[in-house]
Amino acid sequence: MRKVPKWFSTMSVIALVGVMIAGCSGNNGNNAETTNNKPANTATTNETTNTNTTNESTNDAATTPDPNTPVDGGTLTVGTFSDIVSVNPIYINDTSSGDIENLINARLYDLDRQGNLAVEPWSIAAELPQVSADGKTYTVKIKSTAKWNDGQPLTADDVVFTYNTIRNPDAGAPGISTVDKVEAINKIDETTIEFKLKQVYAPFQYSLYSSLVPSHILKDVPVKDLKTNAYGVDPTKTVTSGPWKFAEWKQGQYITLEKNPNYWGEKKPHIDKVIYKIYADQNTEVQALIKGDIQMSEAIPVTQIEGVKANDKLQVILEPGPQYEYVQFNFKDENFPDKYSPFKGQKTRQAIATALNRQGMVDNVLKGTGKLMNSPFMPGSWADPGDQAVNYPYDAEKAKALLAEDGWVAGKDGILVKDGHRFSFELQYNAGNSRREQVAAVIQQNLKDVGIEVTPKGIDFATWIDQNITPGKFPAILLSWSLNNPDPDAESIFSSKYYPPTGQNGGWYKNEAIDALWTKGQLTIDQAERAKVYQEIGKEISIDLPYVFLYQYGLPQVVDASKVKWAEEDAPESSLGYGYLYHAINWWVTE
Amino acid sequence: MTEYLIRRILQSVLVLFLISILTFLMIHAAPGGPTQIFLAPGLSPEAAKIQAHNLGLDRPVPVQYAIWLGNLMQGDLGHTFKNHIPVGDILWPTVKNTMVLMGAAWLFSLLIAVPWGIYNSTREYGLSDQTASFVSYIGFAMPTFWFGIILQEYFSLKLDWLPLSDMYTMGKEGNLGDLFMHLILPVSVLTIGFLAAYSKYARASMLEVLNQDYIRTARAKGLKERRVIFRHALRNALIPIITILGLDLPILVSGAALTERVFNWPGMGRLFVDMAVAREYSVLMSITLVVSVIVVLGNLLADILYAIVDPRVQLGSKGGSAT
């Protein structure tokens, strides 16, 4: 029997289907491993970074409302580095598939720039969900005008069918944990659906930020066969409800989307055709941008930013996105060769945070595409603890003092020793991810300066997840979380209720006070009250440091501003998952 | 000859069978599996087990192998785990694309390299020979991807004469003129690499023949140099070259992964890397099988050609050569 990863249990509280990107290509910053819901309610209105001071006009073209009204027609070709798996929303588990799925499906609810649930002209819902006084019933009303692209009406049946399928363990849907608090889903009438929860669970609102599947197409397919069904893989069998439809997929080469002739929304898309072209090599992809073969890339390597900026027509959007990198400590003794975890002292962990030159990493490795983080919540989001979270400025001397206070003394070879154990550990990351490779080298040097020996080790991604991350067998790791879901709840990562194999607390961290706060956050419906809970968690966790939070980082998005246009209110929103396509329905292209 | 062929084919089948077992075991020995890639955050261990069971991944490896082999015998290469696409749908287009690219590069280099090498052997250390040596060193020393990038920068971005990458322009699939334009740059990169090896082989092989006694005899008889070269020397000089070509045949399918990557050529090299990362066992097995078949065929072909060009070699029941 193959050991399958036991990602999280049904009990976990994750509100999002994440993606793991192994990042095979050298420099790509897009190697987040996603998990669960997380914060990310960036309140900054994302002004696209002005990248070319000598060339204001180019940027203006893309960021200010064009005096010309949008034109219909044309093709937008987007470069990407990995192929899709399936665009069936029930099984989306990778960003490439998610990109496509975003364009061909209408969602029940959408998000505003602050990450709040929103009803847009292109959302299926007609109004925000009504929550009952006891917080356990969510009533959703959908528009009566919504249709599938085969002309069939989209009704409450589709909503019930989609959510019931995700809840069914036989379906193997990655999003099962987002609906595990649901007791029943009832169709009230053709446009009204009622979700009844077993308990009060505030993160549930974001489970409604989801696409639907057509019950009239899939209701007769046995649930266990859904995964192997052609829906989501074969364009001729994939009926969707969004502005574009899935027209062609040439494996490993490109995906073509065409305007949906039966699109029901009042606002129609302007762009006729969207093509996703897959580039195996990121250098080639950047050359294709310069040549004009493609008009957009969701992420280019940070090393290429300067070269792209030199080109007048290309605009680089450099805002840090919804993902953060961290160093995770393991507290279980048997994960160390000498059966001793050196990370148990709080002062030791604070010393490590102080010894790391995080700002140096942002400036030199990320080329400025990041911001320091001190808690697991997105800076600027409603849950952001701000200054309440402790910041650890780089200070090697202070780090040495903290280590000494915690009982570490220099050994013969200059490496610190405590109770007969040398302070030496292996730091694992996924091989081939050049950003992590460089950051691991910085960590090694920074910690060497204070008497700690670090051995960085790159491991093949699939192997690493299977053998180390999932079972919680590692000394320390360098990894990221992607926060595609705006809910700040991260219990399944930090709570002692979620040790492997149940959840993702692979470092075997335990802090009862914080455990209780996660629960409190789930039981508080009022957002202002909830925010206070997460600020409290942010403060506590930044003192206790199960992780060293390094920085939030961005994937530099590039747009050919001479061809791709949008009004200011429709500009990409880097702080959201898939935010680089924000309001793409309103964009237009000029030939 | 017939008896020899039958024996060789039977041997080949056995070899392929052993290769497939070994490959299967090795692929399955790699940690991680196809399920963990699609098993997402949030999927409970029970649900994960159900998925693995549905895919037959919880069976013992020998049983899985037997099932795979049984399907193969019926011409079924299986499906991908992640999205249940028939392996053939993914594999054959890439095999075809790689053969187009490598075949073009191979033929092109042969047409240049063999005559050039032979010409140089008759004028050792002349200008042409020196040039060939220089080109060879460049071909051996220069990283293909770097050379590819240089060509792209100059001919595609700067001069805008040639397409940057891919096999066809979007919407022009199947257009031969378009394909030709797309072939120029990657074929140039690959040719530099091939040229070095093949022109050296041809030159060395010809030189060896030209130093033989019978050539001296032919020249002593007063035969024209042209006649000496083409009638007496060439045929014998081609023998080792043909062997090398037969052994190099697998290059045609395995391709040059780096060149494919730089030029975004939708070939097999790229597919193999993607599928290895995704642990798509069925696709990996099929790729291995295709390459193995070509290797075995290449060897067989080299032996047969050898017998045709060299009458001293007999493919007898003993398989040895009698002089």
Side-chain angles (χ1 to χ4, degrees):
Chain A
M1 153 89 219
R2 290 207 68 71
K3 209 166 149 324
V4 284
K6 300 169 176 134
W7 271 103
F8 324 97
S9 82
T10 3
M11 295 303 296
S12 67
V13 257
I14 298 169
L16 176 86
V17 173
V19 186
M20 296 177 294
I21 305 161
C24 331
S25 47
N27 253 320
N28 125 34
N30 201 350
N31 299 331
E33 176 197 334
T34 316
T35 91
N36 75 30
N37 60 322
K38 297 316 240 353
N41 192 340
T42 314
T44 49
T45 46
N46 170 25
E47 282 300 313
T48 43
T49 317
N50 208 337
T51 58
N52 197 335
T53 41
T54 54
N55 193 323
E56 299 268 277
S57 57
T58 328
N59 288 323
D60 287 351
T63 53
T64 57
D66 196 281
N68 310 321
T69 40
V71 286
D72 283 3
T75 299
L76 168 64
T77 310
V78 184
T80 181
F81 60 90
S82 56
D83 204 353
I84 59 173
V85 175
S86 161
V87 296
N88 179 342
I90 288 178
Y91 294 112
I92 296 281
N93 193 20
D94 64 287
T95 44
S96 298
S97 306
D99 290 340
I100 303 295
E101 191 266 334
N102 256 295
L103 297 167
I104 60 175
N105 275 307
R107 286 177 177 273
L108 192 52
Y109 288 95
D110 286 277
L111 297 176
D112 65 12
R113 288 189 188 274
Q114 287 70 42
N116 298 303
L117 225 48
V119 175
E120 299 281 6
W122 44 87
S123 311
I124 293 165
E127 56 184 55
L128 285 171
Q130 291 163 356
V131 187
S132 63
D134 66 359
K136 288 193 198 171
T137 306
Y138 288 69
T139 307
V140 172
K141 278 203 175 337
I142 62 170
K143 291 171 184 148
S144 56
T145 49
K147 274 196 306 201
W148 295 102
N149 67 11
D150 60 357
Q152 294 289 321
L154 189 157
T155 68
D157 291 327
D158 297 304
V159 180
V160 174
F161 174 80
T162 301
Y163 281 91
N164 276 336
T165 305
I166 295 171
R167 285 170 67 205
N168 187 333
D170 283 345
I176 190 165
S177 63
T178 65
V179 287
D180 62 1
K181 304 287 189 296
V182 174
E183 188 169 29
I185 305 169
N186 306 316
K187 171 182 168 183
I188 306 298
D189 59 42
E190 286 306 309
T191 56
T192 316
I193 307 96
E194 192 181 64
F195 292 83
K196 285 206 173 299
L197 304 190
K198 299 168 193 163
Q199 63 189 76
V200 177
Y201 184 61
F204 178 76
Q205 63 166 325
Y206 288 111
S207 305
L208 301 171
Y209 164 62
S210 163
S211 299
L212 303 176
V213 292
S215 68
H216 69 279
I217 301 283
L218 297 173
K219 66 175 187 292
D220 297 329
V221 179
V223 171
K224 68 174 176 46
D225 296 340
L226 265 181
K227 205 163 174 36
T228 53
N229 189 274
Y231 183 90
V233 175
D234 180 347
T236 61
K237 297 195 167 69
T238 307
V239 173
T240 59
S241 57
W244 291 277
K245 67 183 178 90
F246 188 27
E248 190 188 5
W249 176 19
K250 207 149 189 178
Q251 270 98 21
Q253 296 186 57
Y254 58 84
I255 296 107
T256 308
L257 312 180
E258 285 165 6
K259 215 183 243 189
N260 168 8
N262 280 326
Y263 184 56
W264 51 273
E266 282 165 36
K267 278 195 168 179
K268 307 287 184 211
H270 298 301
I271 299 171
D272 262 351
K273 234 188 202 183
V274 181
I275 298 173
Y276 266 74
K277 236 169 112 12
I278 301 150
Y279 284 89
D281 186 87
Q282 291 204 295
N283 179 65
T284 311
E285 189 184 343
V286 172
Q287 286 178 313
L289 276 165
I290 293 167
K291 190 167 168 72
D293 288 353
I294 55 176
Q295 293 88 50
M296 186 162 91
S297 166
E298 58 190 288
I300 60 160
V302 286
T303 47
Q304 304 258 22
I305 292 174
E306 290 310 313
V308 170
K309 277 186 184 174
N311 188 301
D312 287 352
K313 66 177 186 181
L314 297 180
Q315 177 194 346
V316 184
I317 299 171
L318 272 183
E319 290 294 305
Q323 55 261 326
Y324 69 89
E325 204 125 55
Y326 59 88
V327 173
Q328 182 173 12
F329 302 119
N330 208 312
F331 298 96
K332 211 176 189 178
D333 289 334
E334 54 258 45
N335 287 309
F336 295 82
D338 55 356
K339 302 285 175 264
Y340 175 85
S341 169
F343 303 121
K344 288 190 180 142
Q346 190 185 74
K347 280 193 174 143
T348 298
R349 299 193 296 274
Q350 290 172 346
I352 291 175
T354 310
L356 296 182
N357 184 356
R358 298 181 300 150
Q359 193 58 51
M361 295 172 196
V362 170
D363 295 343
N364 301 315
V365 181
L366 303 182
K367 315 281 182 210
T369 61
K371 285 187 192 140
L372 294 191
M373 293 256 302
N374 298 310
S375 80
F377 309 118
M378 266 298 123
S381 69
W382 58 262
D384 180 16
D387 294 343
Q388 290 185 51
V390 181
N391 182 37
Y392 296 89
Y394 173 53
D395 185 344
E397 290 314 308
K398 191 177 170 191
K400 285 181 191 166
L402 281 165
L403 287 162
E405 281 175 46
D406 219 11
W408 292 96
V409 287
K412 286 195 194 91
D413 56 357
I415 301 299
L416 298 172
V417 178
K418 181 176 172 183
D419 304 335
H421 298 279
R422 280 175 87 245
F423 204 152
S424 167
F425 66 91
E426 180 182 86
L427 177 67
Q428 303 176 346
Y429 62 92
N430 56 310
N433 181 320
S434 76
R435 184 188 64 248
R436 284 189 197 134
E437 214 162 87
Q438 294 173 62
V439 168
V442 175
I443 292 170
Q444 182 184 22
Q445 187 56 51
N446 286 164
L447 294 186
K448 193 178 161 194
D449 293 345
V450 298
I452 300 171
E453 182 178 72
V454 180
T455 315
K457 186 181 178 190
I459 307 174
D460 158 71
F461 193 75
T463 307
W464 190 39
I465 298 296
D466 191 47
Q467 312 252 300
N468 307 103
I469 310 274
T470 305
K473 291 180 181 164
F474 54 82
I477 54 172
L478 174 62
L479 191 59
S480 321
W481 289 124
S482 253
L483 313 176
N484 282 346
N485 181 302
D487 201 274
D489 181 66
E491 185 185 40
S492 73
I493 297 175
F494 295 108
S495 167
S496 61
K497 276 196 266 179
Y498 289 102
Y499 289 150
T502 313
Q504 285 181 294
N505 182 355
W508 310 89
Y509 171 68
K510 187 177 175 101
N511 179 321
E512 284 170 2
I514 298 179
D515 286 0
L517 285 168
W518 288 120
T519 309
K520 190 177 168 189
Q522 292 170 6
L523 296 173
T524 313
I525 296 282
D526 181 79
Q527 190 143 308
E529 285 302 307
R530 251 192 112 190
K532 285 182 194 158
V533 178
Y534 293 112
Q535 282 163 10
E536 180 71 12
I537 292 176
K539 182 177 147 193
E540 293 300 321
I541 221 162
S542 66
I543 292 169
D544 204 33
L545 294 179
Y547 291 3
V548 174
F549 300 95
L550 297 173
Y551 42 75
Q552 125 189 60
Y553 61 96
L555 307 174
Q557 180 185 351
V558 181
V559 178
D560 182 341
S562 68
K563 295 203 179 98
V564 186
K565 312 280 181 186
W566 52 66
E568 196 171 353
E569 65 268 19
D570 298 320
E573 177 55 64
S574 303
S575 67
L576 297 173
Y578 301 113
Y580 82 101
L581 291 169
Y582 199 69
H583 291 194
I585 188 172
N586 293 335
W587 299 0
W588 67 97
V589 289
T590 56
E591 292 307 322
Chain B
M1 181 80 172
T2 319
E3 187 194 340
Y4 170 81
L5 271 183
I6 290 171
R7 209 155 40 81
R8 280 296 303 263
I9 288 168
L10 288 177
Q11 276 175 357
S12 306
V13 170
L14 184 69
V15 166
L16 289 175
F17 178 66
L18 290 174
I19 289 175
S20 75
I21 289 184
L22 271 176
T23 314
F24 204 86
L25 288 175
M26 283 196 312
I27 287 176
H28 281 263
T35 46
Q36 79 195 13
I37 311 283
F38 73 69
L39 282 185
L43 200 54
S44 70
E46 302 84 76
K49 275 187 186 139
I50 291 169
Q51 285 303 310
H53 178 76
N54 288 348
L55 291 169
L57 287 164
D58 53 355
R59 299 182 182 129
V61 173
V63 174
Q64 289 188 50
Y65 176 78
I67 291 168
W68 174 81
L69 193 67
N71 290 340
L72 183 73
M73 293 297 152
Q74 296 162 33
D76 176 9
L77 294 173
H79 290 79
T80 57
F81 291 112
K82 278 203 293 187
N83 43 21
H84 203 71
I85 296 172
V87 170
D89 291 4
I90 297 175
L91 180 68
W92 299 126
T94 65
V95 174
K96 201 180 76 205
N97 298 343
T98 294
M99 283 176 108
V100 167
L101 174 65
M102 300 307 290
W106 206 51
L107 272 175
F108 189 63
S109 8
L110 280 183
L111 290 176
I112 298 174
V114 175
W116 196 16
I118 286 169
Y119 176 84
N120 292 343
S121 68
T122 60
R123 288 168 183 70
E124 257 190 295
Y125 308 117
L127 179 64
S128 165
D129 197 20
Q130 302 275 11
T131 312
S133 289
F134 180 69
V135 171
S136 295
Y137 287 130
I138 289 186
F140 281 127
M142 197 164 39
T144 47
F145 63 91
W146 181 79
F147 186 50
I149 291 169
I150 299 293
L151 290 183
Q152 284 173 321
E153 287 287 341
Y154 193 73
F155 289 102
S156 178
L157 292 184
K158 199 169 169 199
L159 297 173
D160 202 17
W161 288 355
L162 294 167
L164 174 76
S165 62
D166 305 305
M167 191 162 167
Y168 293 107
T169 307
M170 277 286 193
K172 286 194 180 172
E173 284 78 8
N175 176 324
L176 283 179
D178 189 56
L179 173 64
F180 180 77
M181 295 301 277
H182 281 86
L183 274 167
I184 295 173
L185 289 184
V187 163
S188 308
V189 169
L190 291 164
T191 299
I192 286 276
F194 283 145
L195 205 58
Y198 289 148
S199 66
K200 284 276 176 216
Y201 288 141
R203 178 180 178 275
S205 170
M206 194 71 184
L207 272 177
E208 194 178 334
V209 173
L210 289 178
N211 290 330
Q212 300 282 341
D213 289 349
Y214 67 91
I215 298 290
R216 204 170 329 133
T217 311
R219 283 178 176 154
K221 280 197 308 188
L223 286 181
K224 283 201 176 72
E225 186 63 12
R226 175 187 297 257
R227 198 172 161 81
V228 170
I229 303 272
F230 285 98
R231 279 299 293 265
H232 295 266
L234 187 59
R235 187 165 169 160
N236 289 330
L238 283 177
I239 294 169
I241 299 173
I242 284 172
T243 314
I244 285 162
L245 293 185
L247 295 178
D248 268 358
L249 204 57
I251 293 178
L252 282 187
V253 280
S254 58
L258 270 177
T259 309
E260 281 186 359
R261 186 174 154 155
V262 168
F263 290 98
N264 216 40
W265 196 269
M268 227 160 95
R270 211 175 114 181
L271 180 74
F272 194 84
V273 173
D274 289 351
M275 293 294 145
V277 170
R279 300 285 194 275
E280 284 288 3
Y281 301 142
S282 308
V283 186
L284 293 174
M285 285 302 297
S286 304
I287 293 175
T288 314
L289 206 67
V290 169
V291 176
S292 312
V293 167
I294 304 278
V295 170
V296 167
L297 275 179
N299 279 320
L300 186 58
L301 205 64
D303 284 354
I304 292 170
L305 281 173
Y306 210 90
I308 292 171
V309 291
D310 187 350
R312 290 172 304 174
V313 176
Q314 290 186 352
L315 302 177
S317 51
K318 293 194 176 61
S321 62
T323 42

